[in-house]
Amino acid sequence: MSLSVRDLSVAFGRRAPAVESVGFELADGERLGVIGESGSGKSVTSLALMGLLPEYARVTGSVSLDGQELLGLGDRELSKLRGEKMSMVFQEPMTALDPTMRVGRQIAEAYRLHHPRSGAAAREQVETVLDKVGFTDARRVSLSYPHELSGGQRQRVLLAMAVVNKPGLIIFDEPTTALDVLVQAEVLQLIDATLTATGASALFISHNIAVVSQVCTRAVVMRGGRIVEDGPIAELFEHPKHPYTRALVEAAAHE
Amino acid sequence: MSELYQVKALTRSFGKVEALKGVDLAVGKGERLGIVGGSGSGKTTLIRLLAALDVPTGGTIVFDGEPIRAGKPPKGFRSRVQVVFQDPRSSLDPRMKIKDIVGEPLRSQHRRDPKRVEQVLADVGLEPDVLERYPHEFSGGQRQRIAIARALAPEPEVLIADEPVSALDVLVRDQIIELLGSLTKARGLTLLLVSHDLAVVRRLCDSVLIMNEGGIAESGPMAQVMNHPREDYTRRLLAAVPRLKFGPS
């Protein structure tokens, strides 16, 4: 799916806008990195795309998914789109999952939102999709509660939930930041394989430019609510034009 | 290098969970040792014991020739060994002024030394006008500078740092790593640095301890472990570090 964001601004109350005149294009099947530090506006941007900002947020501009304008849509229309056309994977799977519900049921509920009257099919889908995200014991996992799984396993469950309705766009918000290196490498590989298999477009939000360089083909760099630079990854990191991008690349090259 | 810490068969269990399974370790005076491992590898448990903030289930820790008994450190230990934690937000008392926070370890030595407080704040790059202010008025990076100043105030020999830059943004992180490097070098401090991030350890330490599942997977001089890892676990860990695919030419 293609995504076109134009002149997007978000403000909360009387404070300075959190996001100001942000624009980018995401072609069908493309993976775009959104790089920034805390307060850069990268997460607010993704929440605005998903229609997940609180009501008092003032959102202006245009966000169009395969030609359909998303800003201004009501809750019902948005919930129809969420999951089916676009989905999101958050940083902290412990807070994104319901601690009181077996993970299989949580995935089934996400599926049934878009496939009503599908009890048996939903159960089947749960195991298929858990299989796809690399669990060899899908049945046992589906009967587990979130706290019974490791951080990496929980993140794979979230990925399963995000892809169960085969959306055309997946937004990843710091999906591996809470994981340690070995698990991070596994999850990144899995994300890469899943995107390749489904052909979904992806928006990949991260403060870690090394991670972005591994997953994405293009990136935008955000600072203070604005995009300071964008371009293909190779060009952006080999010949950074903006001093801020240059500083980020130098810090990453140190490591 | 004479030995500062001698650790033998150290274990720590929490109920049925064995967080440390018999660790042997020697740390030399002035050594800068990085302790690396995934979550649950036992690295934080180990340094909490070395800082005498926790009591081992078994084994012994000898510090500069004197045993640490049941969490009771030898006299002077609390000033000689200082700790910097990951999150400066929770490790600085929000109701205290900066001058009192940084002066606290001096007060416990019955010293009142405003000059010393000003000096260590200057050493970490902060102006005297911060003295009368409170922690919430500072950014994460500045709060970590304050935490480092507090740790340095009593002129310790050992600095123990638990993920000191993990909560910080990329650029600030870079500055704090530089600061920790120059301060420990200038003072000849013994540094025990815990991090899940090999890159941080590589920049600050000259030897490294790789932990896995409560034990030591591999240890040795930094260059040797990084360039010629002997253990499969270390090799996997090194290979997993995300590298910048393209860089400045």
Side-chain angles (χ1 to χ4, degrees):
Chain A
M1 273 186 149
S2 66
L3 178 75
S4 171
V5 176
R6 281 185 202 146
D7 204 21
L8 179 72
S9 296
V10 180
F12 299 95
R14 264 172 293 179
R15 275 184 288 167
V19 170
E20 216 174 346
S21 304
V22 160
F24 54 82
E25 303 283 328
L26 180 64
D28 189 26
E30 193 179 24
R31 303 171 190 182
L32 180 73
V34 180
I35 297 163
E37 301 187 79
S38 45
S40 64
K42 60 190 196 305
S43 290
V44 173
T45 301
S46 67
L47 292 174
L49 303 184
M50 290 290 288
L52 290 174
L53 287 171
E55 255 173 42
Y56 61 88
R58 285 195 314 281
V59 186
T60 56
S62 159
V63 174
S64 107
L65 185 67
D66 262 359
Q68 182 186 10
E69 177 60 49
L70 301 186
L71 293 191
L73 285 186
D75 269 349
R76 272 184 66 182
E77 293 144 303
L78 273 172
S79 5
K80 261 199 81 181
L81 289 175
R82 281 196 292 254
E84 191 164 26
K85 295 255 164 74
M86 55 183 186
S87 63
M88 191 155 175
V89 175
F90 293 94
Q91 170 173 354
E92 218 346 293
M94 205 51 199
T95 47
L97 291 168
D98 184 335
T100 67
M101 208 192 279
R102 295 178 198 275
V103 299
R105 208 175 130 208
Q106 300 191 49
I107 301 171
E109 284 201 352
Y111 182 75
R112 289 174 66 174
L113 274 178
H114 301 282
H115 304 82
R117 295 189 295 278
S118 60
R123 270 194 299 280
E124 204 169 292
Q125 275 299 321
V126 168
E127 288 190 18
T128 313
V129 80
L130 283 173
D131 230 41
K132 271 193 197 143
V133 296
F135 286 109
T136 49
D137 46 353
R139 173 146 307 162
R140 190 189 60 78
V141 172
S142 74
L143 293 175
S144 308
Y145 288 96
H147 74 268
E148 297 173 316
L149 303 173
S150 71
Q153 288 173 325
R154 285 197 286 263
Q155 201 56 302
R156 284 197 274 160
V157 167
L158 269 199
L159 183 62
M161 211 189 282
V163 299
V164 70
N165 290 302
K166 306 189 173 65
L169 170 68
I170 308 176
I171 300 176
F172 297 91
D173 191 357
E174 302 270 8
T176 60
T177 306
L179 306 174
D180 54 58
V181 230
L182 281 171
V183 184
Q184 165 170 279
E186 275 171 39
V187 172
L188 283 176
Q189 258 175 24
L190 181 68
I191 288 174
D192 185 59
T194 309
L195 288 174
T196 307
T198 59
S201 315
L203 212 59
F204 198 94
I205 296 160
S206 180
H207 72 284
N208 188 329
I209 72 169
V211 168
V212 168
S213 80
Q214 309 247 330
V215 184
C216 303
T217 46
R218 245 165 23 91
V220 299
V221 180
M222 287 188 73
R223 188 187 199 189
R226 288 174 171 276
I227 292 179
V228 297
E229 188 166 359
D230 62 24
I233 295 284
E235 203 175 306
L236 199 60
F237 295 163
E238 275 169 19
H239 310 285
K241 289 187 192 74
H242 196 279
Y244 180 66
T245 316
R246 216 173 297 144
L248 286 180
V249 172
E250 270 161 26
H254 262 158
E255 311 209 328
Chain B
M1 220 188 287
S2 60
E3 260 147 30
L4 195 56
Y5 273 106
Q6 275 284 8
V7 175
K8 289 256 154 65
L10 196 64
T11 59
R12 176 70 169 105
S13 302
F14 300 94
K16 272 184 257 167
V17 182
E18 272 190 295
L20 273 190
K21 301 172 186 167
V23 164
D24 295 318
L25 174 69
V27 183
K29 268 190 185 140
E31 184 175 341
R32 300 187 300 158
L33 174 69
I35 302 168
V36 181
S39 45
S41 61
K43 54 192 194 305
T44 294
T45 304
L46 173 62
I47 56 153
R48 285 181 56 83
L49 292 172
L50 296 180
L53 294 172
D54 187 17
V55 181
T57 313
T60 56
I61 304 173
V62 174
F63 176 78
D64 206 8
E66 289 183 76
I68 300 181
R69 282 202 185 85
K72 277 215 187 78
K75 204 162 172 272
F77 181 87
R78 294 276 173 231
S79 314
R80 293 171 70 188
V81 179
Q82 287 287 313
V83 189
V84 174
F85 295 98
Q86 170 171 0
D87 188 355
R89 196 161 318 176
S90 51
S91 66
L92 302 180
D93 189 331
R95 297 159 303 181
M96 283 167 74
K97 287 183 176 174
I98 302 309
K99 65 172 184 194
D100 297 322
I101 290 174
V102 176
E104 194 178 30
L106 296 175
R107 275 197 305 283
S108 61
Q109 293 178 314
H110 310 289
R111 280 167 71 185
R112 262 203 75 246
D113 196 344
K115 278 244 152 54
R116 174 78 192 148
V117 171
E118 252 181 70
Q119 181 56 49
V120 283
L121 282 168
D123 291 347
V124 299
L126 293 171
E127 302 285 331
D129 66 344
V130 306
L131 287 167
E132 300 294 328
R133 292 161 68 189
Y134 291 92
H136 75 265
E137 299 174 55
F138 296 92
S139 67
Q142 282 175 315
R143 275 198 289 253
Q144 203 55 303
R145 284 176 196 269
I146 293 164
I148 293 169
R150 174 179 60 184
L152 296 180
E155 292 164 70
E157 295 153 56
V158 183
L159 188 64
I160 296 183
D162 189 2
E163 302 277 8
V165 298
S166 302
L168 305 176
D169 274 335
V170 188
L171 297 181
V172 178
R173 197 180 136 91
D174 211 43
Q175 294 164 6
I176 298 293
I177 293 173
E178 288 289 321
L179 179 70
L180 276 172
S182 59
L183 289 174
T184 47
K185 257 190 208 144
R187 281 152 218 251
L189 287 180
T190 304
L191 175 68
L192 300 176
L193 174 79
V194 162
S195 180
H196 69 282
D197 189 339
L198 273 166
V200 174
V201 164
R202 202 195 307 231
R203 281 175 66 188
L204 287 174
C205 302
D206 27 51
S207 56
V208 64
L209 194 73
I210 313 269
M211 293 195 68
N212 185 26
E213 291 176 358
I216 295 175
E218 181 164 358
S219 68
M222 185 66 66
Q224 183 196 309
V225 176
M226 292 293 154
N227 302 329
H228 309 285
R230 286 192 312 266
E231 297 297 322
D232 185 48
Y233 181 78
T234 314
R235 275 193 286 271
R236 279 172 43 219
L237 203 64
L238 288 171
V241 177
R243 286 196 175 71
L244 195 59
K245 243 186 180 170
F246 306 93
S249 34

